[in-house]
Amino acid sequence: MKDSKHKLLTLAALTTIAAGVVHVANRVIVASSQLKEMLDFFNHNYYNWRFGKIYYTKKGSGSPLLLIHDTMPGASGYEWSRVEKQLAQEHTVYTIDLLGCGRSEKAGIAYTNFLFVQIINDFIKNVIKEKADVIASGFSCSFVTTAAAYNNEIFNKIMFINPVSINALAQCTTKKDKLFKFLIELPIFGTLIYHIIVSRETINDFFLDNLYYNPFHVDGDVQDAYYEASHKGGYYAKYLYSSQSAKYMNINIRHALSTIDNSIYIVEGEDEPNGASIIEDYSKVNPAIESVIIPCSKHFPHIENVELFLDQVGTFF
């Protein structure tokens, strides 16, 4: 009996020490990730939305153009840093950090597709306050699709950059997905798992393998910004990732896409996996959709081939 009690006390003590060490390690990782301060706050504003403050910038003059970044770990409005100034010569450019991303508040909530639909609609109504053109990247294209289907009157022309496939968006959450979400959201050890997933080495490898057409031309500043943003907000930075990994942000967009009568233009990077088939699937659902493939680019044509990307924007808007 005494031996069992002693073992339990020893186990409890070791667990407490381990938790303490991991907690300190988590704090050090977060602090060190912010040292380069890649995410500046120049010309910034905050939209006080009901679930948290949303960071955005406003530049230039002309017809309003809203830029919405992708939602991979570390994503933020920094994604548009290579094209913002040029776009601001013809437009009033609003660049937003979605809730849970970048410099916006990182709320400890479940992030869903409809949450971002509400953010986009409310932002246009309450901040831009007039009909807006929109350029959305990656997963955020699904938010804009649904938002435009609900509130067509506040959207003008829409450009999608490498949207996610319709079939992938229609996938449902499984028990395994829910378990992973639960593990990631554990207070100390779940945070450590998240920090391993968004370590500098992992992010660098992800850029080399998945995002750039030419791995020798990867922009170090962009990598640093993604690494910093993936940790900004400390403990709460992981909630967007856990929700997206568990497919909470998925939605079947077929009906919404078929009902939109806005002008839609899809821009695909030449080397983006399944890019041609994704364009084909979107065009089957909505035959009015136009498209172009940007050569010498992959997931970020607006970073890798700025000149050709801006030509397409100038032609479309």
Side-chain angles (χ1 to χ4, degrees):
M1 185 74 174
K2 287 183 178 180
D3 286 345
S4 297
K5 187 175 181 180
H6 179 72
K7 289 178 180 178
L8 286 173
L9 288 173
T10 302
L11 179 61
L14 290 173
T15 302
T16 302
I17 292 170
V21 170
V22 172
H23 176 67
V24 171
N26 286 335
R27 296 287 294 272
V28 170
I29 290 170
V30 171
S32 63
S33 71
Q34 309 301 305
L35 293 176
K36 290 191 176 183
E37 296 184 339
M38 298 301 300
L39 301 178
D40 64 67
F41 290 82
F42 177 73
N43 191 30
H44 73 278
N45 303 274
Y46 281 100
Y47 169 44
N48 291 309
W49 198 60
R50 55 183 171 274
F51 287 121
K53 294 193 299 181
I54 295 173
Y55 175 96
Y56 72 95
T57 61
K58 179 182 177 182
K59 300 175 183 176
S61 60
S63 58
L65 175 62
L66 174 60
L67 305 180
I68 307 175
H69 59 79
D70 200 352
T71 58
M72 67 185 71
S76 73
Y78 192 91
E79 180 179 328
W80 308 103
S81 60
R82 301 297 182 267
V83 296
E84 272 182 307
K85 288 183 181 179
Q86 295 93 325
L87 294 173
Q89 294 173 9
E90 301 289 337
H91 303 274
T92 303
V93 177
Y94 295 83
T95 305
I96 190 174
D97 282 8
L98 293 171
L99 192 72
C101 302
R103 292 146 288 195
S104 290
E105 194 163 335
K106 308 268 177 97
I109 59 176
Y111 291 85
T112 65
N113 194 286
F114 192 64
L115 178 84
F116 292 109
V117 169
Q118 293 176 77
I119 290 172
I120 293 167
N121 283 336
D122 289 348
F123 187 85
I124 295 175
K125 289 178 183 177
N126 300 322
V127 178
I128 299 178
K129 297 180 180 179
E130 60 179 305
K131 201 169 188 177
D133 294 318
V134 177
I135 303 179
S137 173
F139 210 97
S140 292
C141 299
S142 65
F143 310 151
V144 175
T145 299
T146 310
Y150 274 98
N151 285 286
N152 179 264
E153 69 280 359
I154 64 174
F155 291 87
N156 195 15
K157 293 183 177 181
I158 299 170
M159 177 178 281
F160 291 154
I161 301 175
N162 293 321
V164 178
S165 76
I166 295 173
N167 289 335
L169 287 169
Q171 292 177 3
C172 297
T173 303
T174 65
K175 289 182 179 179
K176 194 176 290 186
D177 294 329
K178 291 180 180 179
L179 176 60
F180 181 74
K181 183 176 185 293
F182 171 77
L183 291 173
I184 291 291
E185 292 178 1
L186 288 173
I188 297 175
F189 293 100
T191 304
L192 178 63
I193 295 170
Y194 172 73
H195 284 162
I196 293 170
I197 292 169
V198 295
S199 68
R200 182 176 291 277
E201 182 180 356
T202 304
I203 285 179
N204 289 349
D205 288 344
F206 186 70
F207 268 73
L208 289 170
D209 297 338
N210 299 287
L211 302 183
Y212 272 71
Y213 174 81
N214 188 340
F216 297 104
H217 290 169
V218 173
D219 191 320
D221 286 347
V222 178
Q223 287 178 307
D224 288 340
Y226 272 71
Y227 177 66
E228 180 180 321
S230 66
H231 293 85
K232 191 174 274 301
Y235 169 80
Y236 294 101
K238 62 186 178 180
Y239 279 87
L240 179 74
Y241 172 76
S242 68
S243 293
Q244 186 163 10
S245 297
K247 303 185 183 73
Y248 278 41
M249 288 159 54
N250 281 16
I251 191 171
N252 191 329
I253 63 168
R254 286 186 183 276
H255 177 70
L257 187 64
S258 68
T259 61
I260 296 175
D261 60 3
N262 303 74
S263 295
I264 300 175
Y265 197 55
I266 295 179
V267 175
E268 285 280 349
E270 175 188 5
D271 203 34
E272 181 74 358
N274 304 313
S277 62
I278 288 172
I279 288 174
E280 184 180 354
D281 288 345
Y282 274 70
S283 299
K284 283 180 180 178
V285 176
N286 189 329
I289 290 175
E290 299 176 276
S291 62
V292 68
I293 293 177
I294 302 287
C296 300
S297 67
K298 198 170 184 179
H299 195 69
F300 291 140
H302 45 305
I303 295 176
E304 285 195 274
N305 203 331
V306 170
E307 187 176 345
L308 281 181
F309 173 75
L310 289 173
D311 285 344
Q312 295 302 320
V313 173
T315 301
F316 181 58
F317 292 110

